[in-house]
Amino acid sequence: MKKITKLLVANRGEIALRILRSAKEMGIATVAIYSEADRLAPHVRYADEAVCVGPPASKDSYLRGDKIIEICHELGVDAIHPGYGFLSENAGFARAVRAAGLLFVGPSPEAMEIMGDKLSAKQAVKAYDIPLVPGTDEAITDVAAARQIAQEVGFPILIKASAGGGGKGMRLVQNADEFAEQMQLAVNEATSAFGDGSVFIEKFVTGPRHIEIQVLGDEHGHIVHLFERECSIQRRHQKVIEEAPSAVLTPELRAEMGRCAVQVARACHYAGAGTVEFLLDDQHRFYFLEMNTRLQVEHPVTELITGLDLVKEQIRVAEGQPLPFRQEDLAISGHAIELRVYAEDPQNNFLPDIGRLVTYVRPQGPGIRVDDGFEPGMDIPIYYDPMIAKLIAYGATRAEAIERMLRAIAEYQIMGIETTLPFGTYVLQHPAFVSGNFDTNFVRDHFQPAALAPQAPDEATAQVAAALVALLLHEQQPAAIDAASAETGGASGSAWRRNRLGVR
Ligand code: MV4
């Protein structure tokens, strides 16, 4: 056991703040790092100390593992929390941290390596009873042999890159005639994107749900699961809405997927917080896809339904403490939904929208949590992920969580950039979402951008708008209008304005 007294957070934005807050509650001193683009970011002020690591580009700042370790030595830091993204799943960095005599708040480099590659992950879980999508568990190299396997599995099939993730290097093959060409494309894409051309075959599961299980392990071999998150609402392989629990899992299926997730974690001697991803098909059969060896963006929904602080648990595990609970101590209470508020235009194919948060007012009230890293007036940096905030609603039931989310979206005032907030309203009111009957094709099947287009105002609204424009023009040019007003013997412009607005 080694107590952490000073923690460096190797990240930015909402997740840096999220981690700093838990460290503060635990009485741990904190160090933030920041790039030149983030000098004014809230995480920099929140930490006890902050060090600039370099120019805006991630590779020159948040990815500079060598510099970050050096800072730890200079400031007497004893542990690093990597957050998500950046260095969080970099086994080489985790190894360097360990070699420098520091604690890495995350799993071992060995576990990261095993799960970082999809084929080695499949190999690792082979000894356990984990359902895998029919296909190959070794890299395919010979086209003719691979086509033969695809025939046996049955088209359509997917060719996936072993080193891939987020749908990159994934090719859908409809029939044997296309196979050779698609395989070549997949190998080329994997080679250029990951420096590793290993690909494998999986039967294509049509209309699957993406359901993941949160796991938590300690260094003494205890592993529990913290139930599921439903993450099927996504676009371009990026999640937008997540919820816990899933509307479709029965207690039996939940327990079974949970047991499998724990076994996947056991297969790589996992310690820390991790996520085991599954596909669930329309027959409610589930298949292990991959394991993410980090804290995930959507972890708050799990926190809300379990009452746990996952960052605190991560820190305690990193210190070598045993988990303070067993599986049977854990239960789901209530329902939580997260909407990722991205600086993107849902009416324009979710293209990133850059600019300034001219107005930024967060929603509040019962059951609402906002995890963000912005303040009014700040610019959205172009260098990083365009996520502004995570809006999380909690309720006793799914219906109450939906009502609260809709109310909170209506309260949220963001002006200056387009966001995914209106998309959230659309989804949360959609019959398919409300009924729970949806899959990973939700956006393709049910979302029409035109549904978000502003409606033409009615006559009364148009007149109020015209009056407000007149008032604003008056405010900007009071001298000219006051002069006109004096000529007609009226009150001064500003006094008139005060009276009209009821301001004293
Ligand atoms: C699949 C699949 C259907 N069948 N594998 C996409 C990203 C990667 N993590 C796994 N993905 C998929 N793998 C088989 N065998 C469908 C997807 C998929 C998907 C998965 C999760 C969430 C959203 C998705 C959107 C499209 C495709």
Side-chain angles (χ1 to χ4, degrees):
M1 284 251 288
K2 188 180 166 210
K3 252 311 203 212
I4 294 175
T5 61
K6 196 168 183 178
L7 178 74
L8 180 144
V9 180
N11 216 299
R12 63 181 301 282
E14 62 88 17
I15 194 62
L17 271 174
R18 166 73 194 83
I19 296 160
L20 290 168
R21 288 192 162 111
S22 288
K24 187 164 228 158
E25 289 176 25
M26 296 171 89
I28 297 172
T30 54
V31 177
I33 60 164
Y34 62 97
S35 75
E36 285 164 16
D38 279 339
R39 284 186 187 286
L40 302 175
H43 79 276
V44 176
R45 265 172 292 126
Y46 195 94
D48 298 318
E49 293 169 89
V51 183
C52 183
V53 274
S58 300
K59 68 170 177 28
D60 301 321
S61 51
Y62 296 105
L63 290 172
R64 284 294 302 271
D66 54 338
K67 263 197 178 174
I68 290 165
I69 290 171
E70 210 177 285
I71 292 165
C72 290
H73 290 316
E74 280 164 22
L75 299 185
V77 165
D78 41 32
I80 297 176
H81 195 308
Y84 54 72
F86 297 127
L87 295 165
S88 62
E89 291 175 285
N90 184 322
F93 176 67
R95 206 165 261 130
V97 171
R98 193 196 258 173
L102 303 165
L103 289 178
F104 181 78
V105 182
S108 69
E110 294 77 19
M112 287 162 79
E113 257 158 15
I114 290 170
M115 292 301 164
D117 182 274
K118 293 196 178 71
L119 281 170
S120 75
K122 282 183 200 266
Q123 290 298 329
V125 304
K126 231 177 164 177
Y128 297 80
D129 192 20
I130 312 282
L132 301 177
V133 187
T136 58
D137 58 11
E138 280 174 50
I140 52 171
T141 46
D142 181 76
V143 178
R147 192 197 290 112
Q148 183 57 36
I149 293 168
Q151 296 271 27
E152 286 158 21
V153 166
F155 288 98
I157 59 107
L158 281 172
I159 302 177
K160 294 185 177 184
S162 189
K168 231 186 195 162
M170 205 167 80
R171 317 281 320 186
L172 179 61
V173 191
Q174 297 287 359
N175 57 60
D177 298 340
E178 298 172 6
F179 189 87
E181 185 190 346
Q182 292 297 327
M183 180 171 157
Q184 193 55 54
L185 287 168
V187 170
N188 292 350
E189 207 169 313
T191 307
S192 68
F194 313 113
D196 174 1
S198 307
V199 297
F200 62 96
I201 290 172
E202 272 184 9
K203 182 161 184 64
F204 181 59
V205 181
T206 48
R209 285 177 172 251
H210 172 136
I211 294 187
E212 57 186 33
I213 308 270
Q214 176 73 54
V215 295
L216 193 56
D218 67 20
E219 287 171 359
H220 312 279
H222 308 127
I223 304 175
V224 297
H225 72 84
L226 303 176
F227 315 105
E228 78 277 10
R229 292 185 289 260
E230 156 75 64
C231 304
S232 297
I233 309 287
Q234 54 77 48
R235 45 100 190 78
R236 285 192 266 111
H237 300 297
Q238 267 221 50
K239 299 162 187 167
V240 197
I241 294 175
E242 302 101 337
E243 64 179 313
S246 162
V248 286
L249 291 202
T250 60
E252 294 73 31
L253 190 52
R254 174 173 297 121
E256 190 158 333
M257 290 179 77
R259 268 196 303 275
C260 277
V262 167
Q263 290 195 315
V264 170
R266 206 171 289 295
C268 62
H269 308 285
Y270 202 84
T275 298
V276 182
E277 274 187 24
F278 296 96
L279 287 181
L280 185 70
D281 72 13
D282 51 8
Q283 309 294 306
H284 287 190
R285 288 174 299 211
F286 66 90
Y287 309 95
F288 166 62
L289 271 192
E290 57 189 277
M291 182 173 189
N292 300 317
T293 58
R294 60 170 190 277
L295 185 69
Q296 297 210 189
V297 175
E298 60 272 24
H299 76 275
V301 294
T302 299
E303 295 190 317
L304 292 175
I305 63 153
T306 60
L308 294 171
D309 179 326
L310 284 175
V311 174
K312 280 186 190 162
E313 298 304 334
Q314 285 186 296
I315 290 174
R316 292 196 192 106
V317 165
E319 289 179 329
Q321 296 192 48
L323 291 182
F325 38 72
R326 290 161 303 178
Q327 191 66 53
E328 53 269 34
D329 300 324
L330 300 164
I332 296 175
S333 174
H335 198 99
I337 304 175
E338 172 177 282
L339 168 65
R340 300 191 190 188
V341 184
Y342 281 103
E344 295 180 346
D345 187 355
Q347 284 193 68
N348 190 10
N349 202 23
F350 295 95
L351 282 181
D353 193 24
I354 50 161
R356 179 164 297 175
L357 293 166
V358 177
T359 303
Y360 187 69
V361 183
R362 297 170 186 91
Q364 298 182 6
I368 295 303
R369 166 172 166 182
V370 180
D371 281 20
D372 66 11
F374 284 99
E375 278 157 6
M378 277 178 63
D379 291 316
I380 311 286
I382 57 167
Y383 307 99
Y384 317 109
D385 185 81
M387 193 174 74
I388 301 166
K390 305 188 301 206
L391 172 56
I392 308 122
Y394 176 80
T397 60
R398 186 169 188 263
E400 188 179 45
I402 291 175
E403 286 161 10
R404 284 184 165 157
M405 179 65 92
L406 287 167
R407 185 265 294 168
I409 293 171
E411 275 182 35
Y412 218 142
Q413 294 178 50
I414 302 181
M415 271 161 254
I417 42 172
E418 297 299 326
T419 73
T420 46
L421 282 174
F423 174 76
T425 301
Y426 178 87
V427 175
L428 270 85
Q429 289 178 325
H430 196 282
F433 183 82
V434 173
S435 70
N437 184 22
F438 59 90
D439 59 40
T440 52
N441 296 316
F442 179 92
V443 173
R444 188 196 72 191
D445 293 348
H446 300 299
F447 178 58
Q448 294 109 12
L452 302 186
Q455 307 292 307
D458 58 40
E459 183 59 23
T461 310
Q463 280 180 12
V464 170
L468 285 170
V469 168
L471 198 63
L472 279 170
L473 284 172
H474 171 75
E475 191 153 337
Q476 281 164 10
Q477 298 199 310
I481 298 175
D482 282 357
S485 176
E487 246 164 61
T488 59
S492 87
S494 52
W496 176 87
R497 188 166 66 243
R498 275 200 295 277
N499 291 338
R500 280 298 156 124
L501 297 175
V503 177
R504 277 153 218 285

